[in-house]
């Protein structure tokens, strides 16, 4: 009993995380002692590597502007490129399916799996798959789902939800992963070094790759002028997923289009540097149609499911900028809130700043109106975004909409300045103090408070959770000292 | 209405509402797309000084890509270069050989050859179609002579590339393949398989090869 109810209350595992209030989700994250360590280990590394990659390319800023223009051009002419892509994909022998909603998309995939007589499917990590709830849909349909990305494999074994779009298992420490593998793998590692653990997973999944009837992947790009789709991975699991089974199904958001391969190259450089700091991932593969005559491997059927799920609405109703997103994860690696609470507390498929902009689309503003509030508007997410998405502006837009729609509690409080504001908003205060010096500098320049939309309900109090009192007091005292000095 | 019609008509409605006055015919859109990449140098870092094979070697052996590289004077010397690798790593002279005519024509006496690659293949020897100096990338096109799984199943992937097949930038690959039929798979391989999924620590050999070894053929 206790196990079941505590599982239901865990935002890492809940099937509807929004059933747990946001402040409880945050408290759970802040109370988790190892979580912050786990988040830091991966995000610090990612930030350092991205910074080095950007520094090594003097023209990065120009390329970023170009990348932004390319994506914007596609979003402006999305109908044109969809039709062109479809025609070329059909010509390559692919089958193209269209889905307006996540349910439609899942139904198409399940139907294709059933027609293929699939008992077991392998999946290569795809954020769109998470967005539309494909893992659950497959399970509900009684189809064995094998996650092949190492992190997704860990997430599946732990019955967790992914907590980052590039490193879905970032919330798990190596000790926890070792435990999971020992409990679940046929040949667990002999010693708990990461290399042995990876080797154990490799062996565990090899047989699963060979046994799969259908392989499901996402797409990082859809190339309009050839009808090819592009996957980007480091492990090689995507290619084992897409090459071995008889059927390959691609699920992709309609915004993933690029006019041509040359355009894709520019975006690939920006995507990979922003995500991992590499010049290119180990495996960048362009898939075009099914097995050809004479091919010794490859799928006999190649299906592409083009998914809207709110994207046309985003484009037409003020969130077109968000459709440029390459899903690189840089905005969350650099977000002071994400780095405190990790991905699960956000509740949706996408965490961090980009998640806070998109989750209201996918899960409704009523459930997720707190997310756009959990932001210091320091602007670093937009700064590091490889396609210059104005995330803070879009978050402010949600705040205003949420206020207009009466979703915020009607408690009016006056903002008395940063520290008084902080004392009343211990959670944000907590975040602010982690970056105390920076926060003060921003405040001194008037950037912080002045950029808050005072008229739009931001200062009308949200009940942010309190961190542990001891921590709060320690930090409060430290702030007092800083303040006295300043 | 079908989902297709719903999506396209919603987008078209949005077009008239947002892109007022902008040309929206196919020709104008194509021209705008071309204009974006008219100056390719805007979208890529400049290559350093040196010949393309030199730059390729530098990049592919850099810590970022971390492949090993050996040189052979000609294609005929490839079996010997393979032997050196196998001996160094204490591996048997048993290889899966990509069914590429240039490879199968070589003298492999003393080797135990397999025509197919298997999920437990230890060593596979293949030949890349192109190399890209900018990123240290090997390019493979799937086809009868180049099954995709050769790049993903083996533990050690040994790849032959001729110096004359090394291109500068990613876009040079696009130019080189322009007008040719698009293969089922174009595989860009940039280093051995790796993962940073456990605590951000890089480990090689996640699902694909743990070792990538390049044999650069200088004269062909
Ligand atoms: S919003 Fe920008 S930084 Fe964030 S994931 Fe998307 S492309 Fe990357």
């Amino acid at each position: 009993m206790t196990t079941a109810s505590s599982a239901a209350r865990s935002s890492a595992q809940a099937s509807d995380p929004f059933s747990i209030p946001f402040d409880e989700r945050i408290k759970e994250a802040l109370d988790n002692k190892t979580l912050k360590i786990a988040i830091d280990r991966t995000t610090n590394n990612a930030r350092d590597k991205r910074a080095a990659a950007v520094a090594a390319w003097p023209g990065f800023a120009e390329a970023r502007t170009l990348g932004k223009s390319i994506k914007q051009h596609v979003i402006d002419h999305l109908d044109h490129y969809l039709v062109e892509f479809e025609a070329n994909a059909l010509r390559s022998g692919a089958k193209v399916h269209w889905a307006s909603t996540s349910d439609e998309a899942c139904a198409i995939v399940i139907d294709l799996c059933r027609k293929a007589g699939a008992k077991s499917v392998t999946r290569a990590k795809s954020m769109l798959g998470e967005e539309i709830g494909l893992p659950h849909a497959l399970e509900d349909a009684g189809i064995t789902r094998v996650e092949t990305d190492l992190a997704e494999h860990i997430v599946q074994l732990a019955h967790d939800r992914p907590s980052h779009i590039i490193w879905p298992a970032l919330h798990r420490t190596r000790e926890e992963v070792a435990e999971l593998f020992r409990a679940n793998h046929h040949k667990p590692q002999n010693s708990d070094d990461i290399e042995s653990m990876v080797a154990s997973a490799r062996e565990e999944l090899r047989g699963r790759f060979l046994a799969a009837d259908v392989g499901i992947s996402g797409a990082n790009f859809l190339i309009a002028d050839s009808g090819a789709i592009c996957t980007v991975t480091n492990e090689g699991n995507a290619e084992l997923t897409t090459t071995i089974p008889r059927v390959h199904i691609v699920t992709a958001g309609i915004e993933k289009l690029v006019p041509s391969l040359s355009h894709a190259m520019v975006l690939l450089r920006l995507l990979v540097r922003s995500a991992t700091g590499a010049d290119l991932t180990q495996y960048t593969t362009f898939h075009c149609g099914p097995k050809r005559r004479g091919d010794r491997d490859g799928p006999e059927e190649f299906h592409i499911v083009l998914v809207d799920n709110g994207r046309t609405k985003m484009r037409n109703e003020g969130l077109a900028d968000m459709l440029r997103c390459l899903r690189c994860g840089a905005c969350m690696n650099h977000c002071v809130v994400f780095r405190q609470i990790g991905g699960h507390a956000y509740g949706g498929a996408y965490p961090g700043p980009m998640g806070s902009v998109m989750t209201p689309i996918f899960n409704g503003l009523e459930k997720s109106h707190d997310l756009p509030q959990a932001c210091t508007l320091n602007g670093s997410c937009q700064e590091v975004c490889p396609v210059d998405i104005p995330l803070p502006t879009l978050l402010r837009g949600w705040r205003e909409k949420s206020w207009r729609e009466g979703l915020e509690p009607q408690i009016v409080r006056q903002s008395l300045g940063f520290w008084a504001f902080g004392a009343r908003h211990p959670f944000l205060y907590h975040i602010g103090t982690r970056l105390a010096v920076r926060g003060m500098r921003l405040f001194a320049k008037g950037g912080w408070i002045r950029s808050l939309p005072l008229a739009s309900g931001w200062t009308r109090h949200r009940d942010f959770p309190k961190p542990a009192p001891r921590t709060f007091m320690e930090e409060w005292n430290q702030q007092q000292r800083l303040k006295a000095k300043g | 209405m079908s989902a297709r019609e719903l999506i396209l008509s919603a987008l078209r409605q949005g077009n008239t509402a947002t892109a007022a006055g902008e040309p929206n015919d196919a020709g104008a859109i194509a021209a705008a797309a071309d204009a974006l990449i008219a100056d390719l140098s805007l979208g890529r870092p400049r290559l350093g000084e040196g010949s393309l094979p030199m730059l390729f070697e530098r990049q592919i052996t850099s810590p970022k890509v971390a492949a090993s590289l050996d040189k052979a004077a000609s294609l005929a010397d490839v079996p010997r270069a393979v032997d050196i690798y196998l001996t160094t790593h204490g591996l048997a002279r048993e290889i899966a050989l990509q069914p590429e005519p240039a490879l199968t024509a070589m003298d492999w006496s003393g080797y135990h050859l397999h025509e197919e690659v298997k999920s437990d293949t230890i060593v596979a020897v293949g030949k890349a179609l192109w190399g890209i100096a900018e990123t240290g990338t090997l390019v493979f096109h799937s086809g009868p002579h180049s099954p995709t799984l050769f790049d993903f199943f083996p533990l050690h992937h040994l790849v032959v590339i001729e110096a004359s097949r090394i291109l500068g930038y990613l876009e040079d690959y696009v130019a080189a393949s322009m007008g040719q039929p698009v293969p089922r798979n174009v595989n860009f391989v940039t280093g051995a398989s790796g993962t940073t999924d456990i605590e951000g620590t890089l480990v090689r050999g996640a699902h694909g090869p743990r070792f990538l070894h390049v044999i650069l053929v200088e004269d062909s």
Side-chain angles (χ1 to χ4, degrees), chain B residues 73-150:
Chain B
S74 71
L75 281 173
D77 297 316
V78 165
R80 217 175 62 83
V82 171
D83 188 47
I84 292 171
Y85 181 88
L86 298 181
T87 309
T88 315
H89 290 81
L91 296 162
R93 296 174 106 216
E94 177 172 356
I95 57 174
L97 189 65
Q98 185 188 318
E100 151 67 41
L103 291 177
T104 49
M106 293 169 185
D107 177 9
W108 294 101
S109 43
Y111 282 85
H112 184 172
L113 297 186
H114 297 276
E115 212 188 292
E116 281 184 8
V117 70
K118 296 254 168 55
S119 86
D120 57 355
T121 293
I122 303 292
V123 182
V125 176
K127 185 164 180 291
L129 188 61
W130 298 106
I132 301 174
E134 175 195 346
T135 47
T137 296
L138 298 158
V139 183
F140 298 85
H141 281 186
S142 66
H145 303 314
S146 178
T148 303
L149 291 171
F150 264 87

Side-chain angles (χ1 to χ4, degrees), chain B residues 5-205:
Chain B
E5 285 164 43
L6 272 174
I7 292 169
L8 291 176
S9 71
L11 290 172
R12 283 170 189 148
Q13 268 165 30
N15 285 351
T16 45
T18 54
E22 258 196 46
N24 216 7
D25 59 285
I29 294 171
D34 287 347
L36 283 167
I37 48 166
D39 181 359
L40 291 175
S41 70
L42 285 178
R44 63 195 188 192
R46 282 247 311 268
L47 283 179
E49 299 293 314
S51 69
L52 291 179
M54 245 179 71
L55 293 170
F56 174 81
E57 176 181 353
R58 197 181 300 159
Q59 178 73 13
I60 205 164
T61 56
S62 75
K64 273 190 170 182
V65 183
S68 53
L69 183 139
D70 193 6
K71 288 175 187 165
S74 71
L75 281 173
D77 297 316
V78 165
R80 217 175 62 83
V82 171
D83 188 47
I84 292 171
Y85 181 88
L86 298 181
T87 309
T88 315
H89 290 81
L91 296 162
R93 296 174 106 216
E94 177 172 356
I95 57 174
L97 189 65
Q98 185 188 318
E100 151 67 41
L103 291 177
T104 49
M106 293 169 185
D107 177 9
W108 294 101
S109 43
Y111 282 85
H112 184 172
L113 297 186
H114 297 276
E115 212 188 292
E116 281 184 8
V117 70
K118 296 254 168 55
S119 86
D120 57 355
T121 293
I122 303 292
V123 182
V125 176
K127 185 164 180 291
L129 188 61
W130 298 106
I132 301 174
E134 175 195 346
T135 47
T137 296
L138 298 158
V139 183
F140 298 85
H141 281 186
S142 66
H145 303 314
S146 178
T148 303
L149 291 171
F150 264 87
D151 308 341
F152 297 94
F153 268 161
L155 198 59
H156 299 256
H157 191 202
L158 278 57
V159 181
V160 177
I161 177 80
E162 293 147 295
S164 58
R165 304 292 295 179
I166 310 261
L167 304 164
Y169 294 98
L170 293 170
E171 286 87 352
D172 295 331
Y173 163 74
V174 182
S177 47
M178 197 63 87
Q180 288 169 41
V182 182
R184 187 196 88 243
N185 260 19
V186 177
N187 296 103
F188 282 16
V189 174
T190 311
S193 158
T195 180
T196 53
D197 279 348
I198 303 176
E199 294 190 347
T201 306
L202 174 69
V203 174
R204 293 288 176 177

